[in-house]
């Protein structure tokens, strides 16, 4: 298959014929296509994902569709998101080696990426719903975020290189548009594709949509998201974009990558741990989840702590970009000045991440794209109770983010709200 052919979506039936001469794929899984086994496993909102197994191995073939899979062809979406995903993966691998799947082949015209089949990895969200406590995720994700966010910014890159990259990713307009609408605006009015657990949450939803402070805060955060092109973000770093085993963590699916504020990735990620925390009550059929709840709050603490420690380490050892130059601080014997500046940068990330986290919680309960943490709670009253608590938590951290000073304070708030008997 070459990039010059017109785009055509793959299918389980056609994949072997169409990719049977692809050198990278054959080198990985074997040339004898008659023995290839193909499965379509995509359960995300946008793309096709195939697992192809041959005599000598397996690979994943991910292909973008010209529309949003979740909604159908009434919502066209450009194929170029595959180009951004490919380029984001290459940068993430360079900046945080071993944190993403290996890429074997990219075909821009067919919008497909052939990459490493991660096995026996599972999607982190699924593991958390099952109540699995993965020991390394906080460390691995904290390191990934610190390395990619620091090394993709003007703290590290040559200004010329970063500006060129910024221009490249600036064309990821439609995917940014999805986030700008689905995350920051639609949840706060009666947008067409919104849904929520009804009628149980109707009253609370109306209250949140009438909450002026919340709406203003959501728009201030949208302003930061759109205007602060600080670093190359993953752009969709939730627990469905992470694959895990007991000892390995890989980030996948960076098709929403663009230059935005560091706090967005961190906030979105932590929001998904807090949502998992609030959803655990709905998954207690086979036993209490107290230990799981405690584990999730520990993961939040450790992720933030690892992120801060690694970011600080990179600040002290790799600060080669044009921001907070060493020539102004360390080279003048002013190490304290550099530490003071680091505190300011981390404080800004902290304040903004709380806002992004609160908004991410809201959009997963009030908007179009819900998450399985809550959706798999079959008892709708129980689901609504979990969701209501998460909504209340999200509102509090978004609106009061400037007055919250520690991760322990946030976790205490989460615990108090989670333990409330009625909401
Ligand atoms: C229409 S796309 C909905 C959501 O799915 C993706 O994973 C992103 O989170 C996006 O907001
Ligand atoms: Mg995705």
């Amino acid at each position: 298959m070459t990039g010059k052919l017109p785009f055509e979506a793959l299918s389980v039936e056609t994949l072997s014929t169409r990719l049977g001469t692809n050198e990278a794929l054959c080198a990985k899984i074997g040339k004898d296509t008659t023995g290839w086994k193909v499965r379509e496993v995509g359960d995300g909102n946008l793309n096709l994902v195939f697992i192809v197994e041959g005599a000598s191995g397996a690979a994943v073939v991910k292909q973008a569709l010209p529309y949003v899979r979740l909604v159908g062809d009434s919502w066209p979406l450009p194929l170029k998101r595959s180009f951004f995903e490919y380029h984001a993966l290459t940068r993430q691998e360079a900046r945080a080696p071993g944190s993403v799947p290996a890429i074997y082949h990219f075909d821009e015209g067919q919008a497909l990426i052939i990459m490493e089949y991660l096995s026996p990895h599972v999607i982190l969200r699924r593991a958390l719903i099952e109540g699995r406590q993965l020991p390394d995720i906080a460390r691995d994700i904290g390191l990934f975020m610190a390395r990619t966010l620091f090394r993709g910014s003007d703290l590290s890159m040559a200004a010329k290189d970063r500006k060129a990259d910024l221009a490249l990713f600036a064309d990821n307009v439609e995917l940014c548009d999805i986030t700008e609408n689905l995350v920051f605006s639609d949840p706060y009015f009666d947008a067409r594709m919104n849904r929520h657990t009804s009628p149980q949450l109707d009253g609370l939803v109306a209250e949140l949509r009438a909450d002026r402070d919340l709406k203003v805060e959501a728009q201030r955060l949208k302003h930061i998201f759109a205007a602060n092109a600080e670093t190359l973000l993953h752009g969709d770093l939730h627990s469905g974009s992470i694959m895990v085993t007991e000892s390995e963590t890989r980030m996948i699916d960076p098709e929403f990558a663009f230059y935005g504020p560091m706090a967005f990735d961190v906030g979105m990620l932590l929001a998904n741990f807090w949502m998992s925390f609030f959803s655990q009550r709905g998954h207690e059929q086979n036993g209490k989840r107290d230990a799981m709840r405690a584990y999730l709050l520990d993961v939040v603490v450790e992720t933030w702590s690892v992120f801060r420690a690694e970011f600080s380490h990179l600040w002290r050892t790799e600060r080669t970009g044009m921001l907070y130059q060493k020539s102004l601080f360390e080279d003048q014997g002013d190490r304290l000045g550099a530490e003071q500046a680091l505190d300011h940068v981390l404080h800004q990330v902290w304040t903004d991440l709380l806002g992004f986290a609160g908004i991410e919680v809201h959009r997963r309960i009030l908007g179009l794209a819900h998450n399985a943490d809550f959706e798999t709670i079959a008892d709708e009253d129980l689901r609504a109770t979990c969701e209501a608590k998460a909504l209340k938590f999200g509102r509090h951290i978004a609106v009061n983010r400037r007055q919250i000073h520690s991760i322990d304070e946030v976790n205490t708030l989460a615990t108090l709200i989670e333990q409330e008997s009625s909401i």
Side-chain angles (χ1 to χ4, degrees), residues 47-255:
N47 308 299
L48 294 171
V49 182
F50 300 90
I51 295 172
V52 196
E53 290 172 279
S56 53
V60 162
V61 177
K62 178 172 178 181
Q63 187 179 38
L65 290 165
Y67 53 83
V68 175
R69 186 177 183 172
L70 172 70
V71 175
D73 55 14
S74 62
W75 187 347
L77 198 63
L79 299 171
K80 65 185 176 188
R81 63 186 187 272
S82 182
F83 170 91
F84 297 113
E85 175 162 357
Y86 166 71
H87 284 287
L89 284 167
T90 61
R91 284 150 183 74
Q92 289 167 348
E93 177 58 28
R95 291 167 190 163
S99 62
V100 299
I103 297 176
Y104 305 140
H105 179 78
F106 171 55
D107 182 334
E108 187 175 349
Q110 297 301 318
L112 69 82
I113 304 172
I114 305 178
M115 63 183 119
E116 184 180 0
Y117 170 46
L118 298 172
S119 176
H121 302 62
V122 296
I123 293 287
L124 173 59
R125 194 188 299 289
R126 297 275 162 201
L128 298 179
I129 292 169
E130 286 168 16
R132 284 179 58 191
Q133 298 181 22
L134 289 310
D136 297 334
I137 53 171
R139 182 200 64 200
D140 294 345
I141 304 169
L143 290 176
F144 170 80
M145 293 192 300
R147 289 171 182 170
T148 56
L149 300 179
F150 185 94
R151 291 175 173 154
S153 78
D154 271 327
L155 294 168
S156 166
M157 291 176 76
K160 184 169 172 287
D161 296 341
R162 202 191 74 91
K163 284 188 169 63
D165 216 42
L166 178 74
L168 182 94
F169 281 91
D171 193 31
N172 203 2
V173 180
E174 292 79 5
L175 283 269
C176 286
D177 180 75
I178 288 180
T179 305
E180 286 150 9
N181 288 309
L182 293 193
V183 177
F184 293 101
S185 290
D186 288 6
Y188 302 104
F189 74 103
D190 192 14
R192 190 170 53 86
M193 290 182 296
N194 284 349
R195 64 190 173 87
H196 62 261
T197 307
S198 179
Q200 293 89 338
L201 291 181
D202 289 357
L204 181 54
V205 172
E207 214 178 286
L208 290 171
R209 289 190 179 141
D211 187 327
R212 181 178 297 145
D213 291 342
L214 178 59
K215 270 194 299 188
V216 169
E217 206 50 57
Q219 291 315 293
R220 291 179 76 179
L221 289 156
K222 184 175 183 176
H223 188 167
I224 297 169
F225 176 84
N228 184 1
E230 194 173 28
T231 192
L232 182 64
L233 299 179
H234 177 287
D236 196 26
L237 192 59
H238 53 75
S239 51
S241 298
I242 299 173
M243 297 195 72
V244 291
T245 65
E246 288 295 311
S247 57
E248 223 194 31
T249 312
R250 304 280 196 103
M251 313 326 135
I252 61 169
D253 279 2
E255 64 204 314

